[in-house]
Amino acid sequence: MLTTRSSLAVAAAFGMAVALGACATPTPYQSAEMAGQQFGYSSEMIQSDRYRVKFEGNDVTSRETVEQYLLYRAAELTRQKGYDGFYIVRDRTQTEVDIDTVPTTYPGWGPTWNFYGAGYGWNTFDPYIGTAFPTQQIMASDQFAATAVIEMYRGQPPMGAENTFNASAVMARLGDSVQMPQT
């Protein structure tokens, strides 16, 4: 049976867990090149019409979202540079597994011993009443980062080029699903 103090501690711990969980949101479509941003997109020019594009999500951003945002960034960059389309020369998606050990406590829970007290009958001794019995919880999460080298073109795609995309069509198709950062 939990004491009032223990019940309050459990309620407070549950409230904190819910509050922290609510704060964790997927990475919005944003530049990682801005000061202080760890997650988002980045681009690097390799040649005038060839770029390395990357999108890295936090541990609550799905692989599908990371890959869609990479494709959207490639299309957006293509239009910004004055090209009509692009094709993917090389791409990959990496998964980083993050394992955290989180200390937890269970107030009022612990081992008990029964003993026979002289002249008093059976008694229970619980050294942890009013204290917390420490434990640890292991939590694993995946973080995805997608990278592609794209080559841009004007007009029709080059002959023999596979994985070609019309930049305007990609932006129109994915635009409604792209979550921009809140201002």
Side-chain angles (χ1 to χ4, degrees):
M1 177 170 192
L2 293 174
T3 64
T4 303
R5 183 176 175 180
S6 297
S7 297
L8 290 174
V10 169
F14 180 74
M16 286 177 49
V18 169
L20 288 174
C23 292
T25 59
T27 303
Y29 182 78
Q30 64 187 8
S31 173
E33 297 165 349
M34 294 174 27
Q37 294 296 328
Q38 180 179 358
F39 303 109
Y41 64 80
S42 59
S43 326
E44 176 187 1
M45 185 172 79
I46 298 170
Q47 296 175 344
S48 62
D49 62 348
R50 191 178 274 222
Y51 282 79
R52 179 176 296 112
V53 182
K54 180 177 183 179
F55 191 91
E56 186 171 356
N58 62 16
D59 59 351
V60 293
T61 307
S62 70
R63 179 184 183 125
E64 178 183 8
T65 299
V66 167
E67 291 175 346
Q68 283 183 350
Y69 285 8
L70 171 76
L71 195 58
Y72 188 85
R73 177 59 187 154
E76 183 180 61
L77 184 63
T78 299
R79 295 301 302 151
Q80 287 174 353
K81 299 299 178 185
Y83 292 89
D84 299 317
F86 64 95
Y87 62 95
I88 298 173
V89 177
R90 182 175 57 249
D91 68 332
R92 70 176 177 190
T93 301
Q94 294 177 290
T95 306
E96 179 181 317
V97 179
D98 184 27
I99 298 177
D100 294 319
T101 304
V102 180
T104 60
T105 58
Y106 296 97
W109 182 86
T112 59
W113 295 275
N114 291 321
F115 65 95
Y116 187 78
Y120 300 104
W122 285 97
N123 291 312
T124 301
F125 173 70
D126 187 348
Y128 295 103
I129 292 214
T131 64
F133 188 76
T135 63
Q136 291 185 345
Q137 181 178 12
I138 297 174
M139 302 185 64
S141 59
D142 295 334
Q143 289 182 321
F144 300 100
T147 306
V149 174
I150 63 167
E151 190 162 322
M152 304 171 187
Y153 61 85
R154 290 186 178 92
Q156 295 299 314
M159 295 296 285
E162 297 180 19
N163 296 324
T164 61
F165 297 91
N166 177 296
S168 296
V170 168
M171 291 179 70
R173 184 172 53 86
L174 296 179
D176 290 340
S177 64
V178 174
Q179 178 191 346
M180 297 296 180
Q182 296 178 352
T183 55

